[in-house]
Amino acid sequence: MKVSIAIDGPAAAGKSTVAKIVAKRLNITYIDTGAMYRAYTWYCLENGINCQDEAACVAVIDKVHIELLENEVVLCNGTDVTEVIREPYVSSQVSYIASYKDIRLALVDLQREMARNKSVIMDGRDIGTYVLPDADIKIYQIASVEERATRRYDENVQKGIDCTLESVEEDVRKRDYIDSHRDFAPLKPAPDSILIDTSFMSVEEVVNTIIDIVNKKVKGESVNE
Ligand code: CDP
């Protein structure tokens, strides 16, 4: 059976870590929508465009071509931006770009096209509420802001990204605020989503919880029990 899984939640809640593993275990496609907003942001910064200038950012919409390859490589106009889009200078601007409706509409079109006719797990902020409102399973993954900042800081250190725990926590708080207060498709749980608080859960536990939910759903049982 074709299955679509939406995972939403605030910054650095571990959505992509979990989604990648679930995708491998279920042999379905993982779609990282945040990478698309990050790639668009990178393009604007590369071209000297102020990310807080909506008109200027939207004006280049036809010039930005973003591709997500099967191996999780992210291309922007053919350039491999997989690593650079995780840098703090991109993170600090991405929520402005993601608040512009015209840019969202263009990227959502791409996301829906990628999800057409196949089983997917897609993570972001508005997947269950806007991009895939009919998703079979909707997860809203949270953790305390301190825990999320610590996880992202550790991840950054492993990748050799220069930052401090304080700067990461500030970025996470700022993005959460902008993402949940924008007018169009803000970050919020879909009414039919299942909340998973991962503050005290290991990655393996979260993955198993989601796989259990999928298995129950596939057997036709209610997943909200
Ligand atoms: O991995 P992390 O939680 O830090 O963020 P991400 O998933 O890479 O998303 C980066 C940013 O893109 C978010 O802070 C949002 O501003 C934006 N975003 C969005 O608005 N809608 C999505 N579906 C995905 C990401």
Side-chain angles (χ1 to χ4, degrees):
M1 130 187 198
K2 177 173 142 338
V3 75
S4 51
I5 307 168
I7 307 192
D8 292 300
K15 303 180 296 290
S16 62
T17 305
V18 163
K20 279 179 206 169
I21 302 172
V22 172
K24 285 214 171 73
R25 288 235 205 127
L26 299 178
N27 196 24
I28 64 177
T29 302
Y30 165 55
I31 303 172
D32 177 358
T33 65
M36 296 180 171
Y37 294 96
R38 287 174 178 274
Y40 199 111
T41 305
W42 174 84
Y43 177 90
C44 291
L45 294 170
E46 274 300 283
N47 289 280
I49 299 167
N50 177 356
C51 292
Q52 294 189 49
D53 181 343
E54 178 168 2
C57 294
V58 171
V60 294
I61 209 158
D62 293 330
K63 294 190 179 151
V64 190
H65 299 286
I66 297 164
E67 287 170 84
L68 299 187
L69 307 185
E70 288 288 328
N71 52 0
E72 286 154 24
V73 166
V74 185
L75 298 182
C76 182
N77 295 343
T79 301
D80 184 341
V81 295
T82 316
E83 283 176 17
V84 70
I85 59 172
R86 306 290 158 194
E87 290 286 340
Y89 80 93
V90 175
S91 293
S92 71
Q93 301 300 308
V94 63
S95 290
Y96 299 117
I97 295 293
S99 69
Y100 305 145
K101 184 175 178 182
D102 292 336
I103 295 175
R104 296 199 73 81
L105 290 176
L107 296 185
V108 167
D109 272 354
L110 266 177
Q111 292 156 15
R112 289 185 178 148
E113 187 54 39
M114 289 179 76
R116 198 186 301 278
N117 298 326
K118 59 177 167 209
S119 289
V120 295
I121 179 163
M122 193 184 275
D123 82 324
R125 302 294 185 283
D126 59 338
I127 311 306
T129 53
Y130 185 75
V131 182
L132 302 176
D134 299 326
D136 301 298
I137 291 147
K138 298 182 184 180
I139 306 290
Y140 197 76
Q141 187 169 325
I142 60 164
S144 70
V145 70
E146 293 80 11
E147 177 63 25
R148 291 186 282 122
T150 304
R151 288 179 191 169
R152 179 54 49 88
Y153 173 74
D154 290 345
E155 215 172 59
N156 285 355
V157 168
Q158 270 195 356
K159 288 182 183 161
I161 294 174
D162 192 27
C163 62
T164 63
L165 180 58
E166 291 71 31
S167 67
V168 171
E169 184 171 328
E170 199 185 304
D171 173 69
V172 161
R173 284 184 190 276
K174 178 181 144 192
R175 285 198 287 130
D176 286 354
Y177 184 85
I178 301 174
D179 293 345
S180 53
H181 286 82
R182 67 182 175 227
D183 291 335
F184 185 67
L187 164 68
K188 64 172 179 207
D192 50 348
S193 60
I194 299 164
L195 181 79
I196 304 181
D197 185 343
T198 68
S199 300
F200 303 104
M201 291 171 83
S202 66
V203 169
E204 188 60 19
E205 283 172 324
V206 182
V207 167
N208 288 337
T209 303
I210 295 175
I211 303 244
D212 282 351
I213 293 169
V214 175
N215 285 339
K216 280 191 185 150
K217 176 82 185 181
V218 169
K219 279 186 206 144
E221 293 173 31
S222 167
V223 291
N224 287 310
E225 280 171 7

